[in-house]
Amino acid sequence: MSGRDWELVGAPNARDLGGLVGADGRRVRPGVLIRTPALGRLTDEDLPVLAKLGPSCVVDLRDHSETAVAPPDRLTGQPRVVHLPVHDAEHPVFTYVSAVLLGHDLGAYEALAEQGTPAAMAAIYRWFVSGESARANFGAAVRLAARAENLPLVYHCSAGKDRTGWLTVLLLSALGVDEATIRADYLANNRLTESLREVLLEAMRRRMPGLDVEAVRPVLEVREEYLDAAYAEVRRVHGSFGAYLRDGLGVTDDVVMGLRAQLLD
């Protein structure tokens, strides 16, 4: 099944990266690399779709502080589940987002309005590049994707847009996909989650009339400036994306060759 053939009602921004053009004009194989938000909100009708996708491995980028308050992922079959938390206590935005998505922590709304500014989001994206746990676990996730026994690979965080988005940038860059295509996939999140986002914002307006809801919007969206902040940090620290993959993440040339052998047609 290709990304155009299926959708998950409980995960509207889930998509298959198959079909994107990578190195030497070869395309990403359909059905092997699937990005999603957390799978705890899948509906009963979604489960047969997930079963057809048939993931062998599910990578969860959430911290235990997020999974503790979230419904467990709804999975089919017996995929290997690998937890590779990308989380920084100094950037608690993701914990707040988890609470807001689940609608059960009113205090998180005010915290989001303070922490979820565009500047704070850009800082998090820079941390994705230079933070120790971010480098370790993003690198581990990329290496997992290079091994045939982990395919099809499903990977997610909470909302499926920031950590999942940056891991997608890493995978597609290693596969030789051009930056414009990578950027378009990243930004597609806003279109795919528009109705969900407006429902969440309206719920916040009702539950906390004094809250500046527009102050929360930056953390519920992806924005070019966030991605630009990460790319700028790559250039600042490593000089090039290839050096970042190799020296920052431990994604060696052999791993890149493995990725391309497994994931490109």
Side-chain angles (χ1 to χ4, degrees):
M1 299 193 299
S2 77
R4 290 179 295 277
D5 295 332
W6 58 269
E7 63 178 28
L8 296 171
V9 174
N13 55 340
R15 53 206 187 269
D16 179 0
L17 299 175
L20 300 181
V21 178
D24 304 318
R26 299 158 64 198
R27 291 184 181 271
V28 179
R29 290 169 51 202
V32 294
L33 210 52
I34 298 156
R35 57 173 295 177
T36 74
L39 300 174
R41 296 185 297 277
L42 293 188
T43 67
D44 290 346
E45 292 73 23
D46 289 333
L47 296 181
V49 178
L50 186 63
K52 286 185 179 179
L53 294 170
S56 295
C57 182
V58 176
V59 170
D60 188 341
L61 300 171
R62 294 175 297 173
D63 184 67
H64 66 84
S65 64
E66 299 170 84
T67 57
V69 298
D73 278 359
R74 301 191 72 186
L75 300 172
T76 56
Q78 294 183 306
R80 175 186 176 209
V81 178
V82 181
H83 290 273
L84 295 171
V86 175
H87 185 272
D88 181 16
E90 293 187 17
H91 294 300
V93 164
F94 299 128
T95 305
Y96 300 145
V97 171
S98 298
V100 167
L101 288 172
L102 296 163
H104 63 195
D105 184 355
L106 295 177
Y109 299 158
E110 291 184 341
L112 263 185
E114 295 175 11
Q115 294 282 331
T117 65
M121 292 298 293
I124 289 168
Y125 274 68
R126 287 191 290 271
W127 177 82
F128 285 170
V129 175
S130 53
E132 187 175 348
S133 70
R135 289 189 294 109
N137 287 335
F138 278 135
V142 173
R143 291 190 292 275
L144 280 175
R147 294 164 53 182
E149 66 265 27
N150 294 322
L151 304 178
L153 179 73
V154 167
Y155 59 96
H156 70 79
C157 51
S158 183
K161 65 184 183 71
D162 298 306
R163 289 165 291 183
T164 298
W166 187 244
L167 178 52
T168 302
V169 171
L170 299 176
L171 289 164
L172 294 180
S173 296
L175 291 171
V177 177
D178 69 88
E179 188 179 320
T181 300
I182 292 171
R183 192 174 287 265
D185 173 76
Y186 171 80
L187 292 172
N189 176 84
N190 289 346
R191 170 177 51 82
L192 294 169
T193 60
E194 182 176 11
S195 58
L196 171 62
R197 190 165 58 250
E198 295 310 316
V199 166
L200 287 170
L201 290 169
E202 182 56 35
M204 291 181 210
R205 286 188 187 96
R206 288 198 307 269
R207 296 171 82 170
M208 295 192 72
L211 179 71
D212 179 7
V213 171
E214 291 309 306
V216 179
R217 189 181 290 277
V219 83
L220 297 179
E221 297 176 341
V222 295
R223 297 186 177 183
E224 293 215 48
E225 66 198 85
Y226 306 164
L227 196 56
D228 289 341
Y231 276 127
E233 185 73 355
V234 167
R235 290 190 297 272
R236 185 187 73 81
V237 178
H238 297 285
S240 71
F241 213 93
Y244 165 53
L245 288 173
R246 182 182 66 247
D247 303 331
L249 302 181
V251 175
T252 63
D253 291 345
D254 285 346
V255 173
V256 171
M257 286 192 294
L259 282 166
R260 294 181 179 186
Q262 297 297 335
L263 297 170
L264 295 179
D265 276 334

